[in-house]
């Protein structure tokens, strides 16, 4: 049985028009903290996608047996178990990146997007729809992270995924031969917020429905 229009909407809407980071302004702490390098942003995106997708499915499967009074505790237990799995996998296979991401992997547990989708969607919908909802929201989160990380690493270090893109700053090749210098400010935390703000501005300038009317 193929996907219905509603199923496609579950995945499509959070990618842009209802992006959880740029429209709902959720989960921006990690979006600002780990976007100095594209590789770190990719690993965080994959980690978050795994936790949200598996967590949504787990909460959906348990939705009829979780007592309402302890549902938040149950959600935290599910999230914590999945984050522990992710943390162990990162330490086993990409130890350097796991150190770089540090506490931010653990903080996935308290990510507003994660707990919001558990509470607002997975508790009231079947596993299949919950999985699609997770893919959409994790995709929207990932897109925001990767856009910010792309520009921060490129303009701040002249590299992408560690590969020199703009030329060699030591030998003065590529754009460096024209007098260009890496903008170290792009690697600092304030520029993450500025870059994020530009992404939000571009999105809202392209979609007038997202512009809030003044009162």
């Amino acid at each position: 049985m193929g996907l219905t229009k509603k199923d496609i909407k579950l995945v499509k809407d959070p990618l842009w028009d209802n992006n959880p980071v740029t429209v709902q302004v959720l989960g921006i702490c990690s979006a600002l903290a780990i976007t100095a390098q594209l590789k770190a942003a990719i690993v965080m995106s994959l980690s978050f996608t795994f936790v949200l997708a598996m967590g949504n499915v787990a909460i959906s499967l348990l939705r009829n047996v979780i007592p309402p009074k302890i549902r938040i505790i149950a959600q935290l237990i599910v999230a914590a178990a999945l984050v522990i799995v992710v943390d162990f996998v990162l330490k086993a296979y990409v130890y350097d990146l796991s150190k770089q991401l540090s506490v931010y992997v653990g903080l996935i547990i308290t990510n507003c997007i994660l707990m919001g989708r558990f509470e607002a969607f997975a508790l009231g919908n079947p596993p299949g729809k919950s999985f699609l909802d997770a893919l959409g929201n994790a995709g929207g989160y990932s897109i925001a992270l990767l856009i910010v990380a792309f520009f921060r690493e490129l303009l701040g270090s002249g590299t992408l995924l560690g590969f020199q893109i703009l030329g060699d700053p030591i030998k003065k090749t590529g754009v460096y031969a024209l007098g260009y210098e890496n903008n170290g400010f792009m690697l600092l935390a304030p520029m993450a917020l500025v870059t994020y703000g530009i992404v939000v501005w571009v999105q809202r300038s392209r979609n007038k429905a997202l512009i809030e009317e003044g009162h």
Side-chain angles (χ1 to χ4, degrees):
M1 186 175 179
L3 296 177
T4 65
K5 289 185 178 180
K6 288 185 178 180
D7 292 338
I8 295 174
K9 186 179 177 67
L10 286 176
V11 178
K12 184 179 177 182
D13 278 4
L15 297 180
W16 187 250
D17 289 339
N18 196 28
N19 188 287
V21 179
T22 60
V23 176
Q24 301 176 45
V25 197
L26 300 174
I28 65 171
C29 294
S30 57
L32 300 180
I34 52 88
T35 51
Q37 289 187 353
L38 187 57
K39 184 183 293 185
I42 291 173
V43 172
M44 176 60 83
S45 297
L46 292 174
S47 301
F48 182 78
T49 299
F50 172 80
V51 173
L52 182 55
M54 295 299 100
N56 251 19
V57 171
I59 294 298
S60 178
L61 289 171
L62 297 170
R63 69 188 188 281
N64 294 323
V65 298
I66 298 176
K69 291 184 179 180
I70 63 166
R71 68 185 190 282
I72 300 299
I73 296 175
Q75 291 167 18
L76 285 172
I77 291 173
V78 169
L82 291 168
V83 167
I84 288 171
V85 171
V86 169
D87 191 39
F88 283 162
V89 170
L90 292 180
K91 287 179 177 177
Y93 294 101
V94 282
Y95 183 68
D96 289 341
L97 266 179
S98 73
K99 289 197 301 181
Q100 182 180 336
L101 294 174
S102 183
V103 297
Y104 298 107
V105 171
L107 287 177
I108 289 176
I109 298 172
T110 59
N111 191 298
C112 302
I113 302 171
L114 184 75
M115 300 306 295
R117 298 328 296 168
F118 286 177
E119 181 73 11
F121 197 91
L123 277 177
N125 290 276
K129 290 185 179 296
S130 297
F131 181 74
L132 294 176
D133 175 77
L135 289 184
N137 281 276
Y141 171 86
S142 300
I143 287 173
L145 247 67
L146 297 178
I147 290 175
V148 174
F150 176 90
F151 287 105
R152 289 188 70 197
E153 182 178 351
L154 181 64
L155 300 179
S157 302
T159 63
L160 287 176
L161 297 175
F163 296 100
Q164 292 181 338
I165 301 298
L166 302 182
D168 191 323
I170 305 299
K171 297 180 180 178
K172 299 298 180 183
T173 61
V175 297
Y176 299 104
L178 303 176
Y180 177 81
E181 295 292 339
N182 290 329
N183 185 355
F185 189 51
M186 289 293 293
L187 302 178
L188 301 179
M191 206 59 201
L193 186 60
V194 172
T195 308
Y196 165 74
I198 292 173
V199 173
V200 173
W201 171 72
V202 169
Q203 181 184 21
R204 297 192 180 210
S205 66
R206 291 172 60 87
N207 187 347
K208 302 302 181 184
L210 297 177
I211 299 177
E212 299 175 1
E213 298 290 340
H215 297 286

